[in-house]
Structures are given as structure tokens and as C-alpha cells.
Amino acid sequence: MHVPDGFINAPVSVAAGVVAAAAVAVSLRGARRELDERTAPLAGLVAAFIFAVQMLNFPVAAGTSGHLLGGALAAILVGPYTGVLCVSVVLLMQGILFADGGLTALGVNITVMGVVTVVVAHAIFRGLLRILPSTRRSVTVAAFTGALLSVPAAAAAFTAVYAIGGTTDVPIGKVITAMVGVHVLIGIGEAAITAATVGAVIAVRPDLVHGARGLTTRLKLRVDGALVDAPAAAAAPAPAGAGSTRKVWVTGLVTALVLAGFVSFYASASPDGLEKVAADKGIDEKVEEHAAANSPLADYGVKDVDDARLSGGLAGVIGVGVTVVASTGIFWAVRRRRTEDLTATSTAPSTSASAG
């Protein structure tokens, strides 16, 4: 659903850029509460994984494909604020390095693919967990549902933006019907990928899944022959291997590299949902050439490498590497800022007391 340059006029693109910038600024502050020494590296991995899986277009209808948007997955694994940042980093890397998604449309893409998907998926996910049993299966079911509905919501959001600032005269009724219809099908794939990934992480390290933190089992103590809940301060024992995220991080990174470097070669070559609707309805009449069209990695291939499999595989590996480095650096900086804030807060009372 990467919107190219030329679909949306300049004023609306600028307005969407302002909305996206505000959302990123709010998310930078909110992510301080979500990131710690364990989840900061995981957040970088989530961004790289989303980049890799977005290269795997899957067929959804005759001549149409879809790919993961990733907002739901990121929100559930690392939290909604960090999730917005994950998707934003991926979109920035794709736009600058791979000429995927217009640079003037970056604000539109972050708003539609990042903010809308995260907000919708997180709201549905949390709402379902309030009424479902407190089990790991409920987390997976809620993740599936949130991801499923977040994709047509993003399609509807794009249609709303197009209705305000579209550069071609196409009846909005036809656009929203086509967009939502095809993206409901894409949402099924999104939901399956999200639920499978969340379920896999919960199976080995439930403590790392932001959306599953409420499922921690209270420690039981035997008092006078009866089992009672331990005080809140006595946390349940951490799962085996919980002291380090290295194994999860390495496994996830290797998986992302394999998906982007090898499996992506077998992805569907059909246009994705937005491209198909744009071609069918005439939305793409004023599409503009991408500013990074001459990038050495444009169109997910390495320039001057003739072998298609090798070219695409190298581009995918480079993309995963750049994304994981850039996003991890950002998240560690956010986490460091959180540490500084906590330190300042903890020293303030003692300073005041000394002054008194």
C-alpha cells in the first residue's frame, strides 16, 4: 500500500506530513515508557522483520497481491508507540534506498500504514483481551483480529486522504469499494502472519511480548496448607533463559535475512492492492517518477548485478541490515533518554530534602 508521488496533491501531502511528524514526536516520548534493556534490541529486530516480510507479496486475487503492513505486529510485540516508530523507520528506509513509496508521500504512508494500523489494531487487541480469558491463546486470537481489521482500516484511511487531495477525478465510492474489498483479503494474510509470529514469540519468551505482559502468572505461596497469591512485589519466576534476549534476537535476525535474501525471490510479482486499484480506476494517471529512482537499490535490486536472484537477495540482505542498525540505534537512544529521565526523577526528592 505504498503511496507513490503524484497520487496526492502537495497541500494534502504537507498536511499528512505534519500529522505524521506529530505522531512520531508523540511516539518518541511514549516509547520511553515501553523500551528497556531487553525490549530496545527487540524493537530494532521487529523493524527489520517487518522490512523483510514486506518483500514477500502473496497472491490474494486474480492479478493482485498483498504484503504485510506490520502495524499490528509491531504494536503487539513492542507496544503502540514503539510500533509507530518501527513502521516509520521501515517506510523511511524503503523510500530513500529502494524507491518504494514516494518521498513527498512519506507523510501519507506513515499516517496510513503506520499510525492508522497501529491505533486500530491496538484498540481492537486491547478490547478483546478485556473480554477473553487471560490465556496465551486469547493473545493470539486478539492479535489475529486486530491485524485483520487494521488493513481495511488503512485502506479506508487512504481513500479519505484521496477524497481530500487526490490528483485525479475518480468517484470516491468506486475507490473505497475496491480498496476495502481487496484489502479485506490482504488483511487475512496480515492476520495469519501476525498471529503466527506473536504465537511463536509467546511460546519461547512471553515476557518479551508487550501485549502479553498481563498474562504473567502470580506466584503462589502455601500458607497453613492453602495456596494464596503472593504479594505483588514477589513477581512470578521468569521463564528459562529470560536473562538474555540474545537467542531470540539472533534467531529473529537470521529469519529476517533468509526471508529477504532468499524467500523473497519467490514472492508474487503481481501488483499489490493499491497498485491494482490505481491502475483499474485511473488513480495513477499523474504518478511521478520517484526521486530515488536512480538509487543503486531501487526496486529491490542491486544495480549492475545481472542475476535477478542474486540482485534481489543482496538488496534484501542490505535492507534488513540497514534497517536493524538504524532502528536499533534510535531505540537505544530513546531508552537512554528514559534512563536519564528516571535518574533525574529519583535524585530530585533527595536534592530537595538536602536543600531543606
Side-chain angles (χ1 to χ4, degrees):
M1 198 190 290
H2 295 73
V3 180
D5 297 318
F7 276 24
I8 307 299
N9 64 30
V12 175
S13 295
V14 171
V18 172
V19 172
V24 169
V26 171
S27 297
L28 284 169
R29 293 185 62 85
R32 296 180 194 175
R33 300 190 296 272
E34 295 173 345
L35 295 171
D36 55 32
E37 66 279 358
R38 294 181 305 163
T39 55
L42 178 63
L45 176 62
V46 169
F49 184 79
I50 290 173
F51 175 90
V53 180
Q54 283 196 1
M55 294 182 67
L56 308 181
N57 281 47
F58 48 85
V60 294
T64 310
S65 69
H67 61 73
L68 181 81
L69 299 187
L73 178 62
I76 295 165
L77 287 180
V78 293
Y81 295 108
T82 308
V84 170
L85 298 179
C86 284
V87 179
S88 298
V89 171
V90 171
L91 292 172
L92 181 63
M93 295 298 104
Q94 291 171 331
I96 293 175
L97 298 179
F98 298 91
D100 190 9
L103 296 184
T104 62
L106 182 60
V108 175
N109 283 320
I110 290 176
T111 301
V112 171
M113 295 177 63
V115 179
V116 172
T117 57
V118 166
V119 170
V120 171
H122 185 256
I124 293 171
F125 177 79
R126 283 300 177 192
L128 287 175
L129 287 187
R130 290 191 180 97
I131 61 176
L132 293 174
S134 184
T135 64
R136 295 180 182 179
R137 178 173 294 180
S138 294
V139 173
T140 304
V141 170
F144 183 96
T145 307
L148 172 64
L149 297 179
S150 70
V151 178
F158 165 78
T159 305
V161 173
Y162 180 80
I164 300 171
T167 56
T168 55
D169 186 16
V170 179
I172 298 305
K174 293 182 178 180
V175 176
I176 192 168
T177 299
M179 282 292 293
V180 173
V182 71
H183 282 90
V184 166
L185 300 177
I186 295 173
I188 296 173
E190 176 103 10
I193 295 169
T194 300
T197 305
V198 170
V201 179
I202 287 180
V204 294
R205 289 294 302 274
D207 59 305
L208 293 181
V209 179
H210 184 276
R213 289 180 178 177
L215 300 181
T216 304
T217 304
R218 287 287 295 274
L219 181 65
K220 297 286 186 178
L221 298 178
R222 187 173 295 279
V223 179
D224 296 331
L227 288 176
V228 298
D229 286 336
S244 172
T245 61
R246 180 175 299 176
K247 184 176 180 180
V248 173
W249 196 90
V250 170
T251 302
L253 181 60
V254 170
T255 301
L257 290 170
V258 170
L259 292 175
F262 177 72
V263 181
S264 63
F265 181 77
Y266 301 98
S268 172
S270 299
D272 68 17
L274 175 58
E275 292 172 330
K276 179 64 173 176
V277 172
D280 290 346
K281 305 300 179 184
I283 296 175
D284 60 354
E285 288 180 2
K286 297 185 179 180
V287 66
E288 301 173 3
E289 184 179 20
H290 200 287
N294 294 322
S295 166
L297 299 172
D299 297 324
Y300 298 94
V302 178
K303 189 176 182 180
D304 297 329
V305 176
D306 295 330
D307 184 275
R309 186 191 298 269
L310 179 60
S311 178
L314 285 175
V317 169
I318 292 170
V320 168
V322 171
T323 302
V324 76
V325 170
S327 56
T328 300
I330 292 171
F331 296 132
W332 272 113
V334 173
R335 183 246 172 186
R336 189 181 306 115
R337 182 64 181 270
R338 176 197 181 190
T339 303
E340 292 171 356
D341 291 344
L342 292 175
T343 302
T345 301
S346 63
T347 56
S350 60
T351 303
S352 300
S354 299

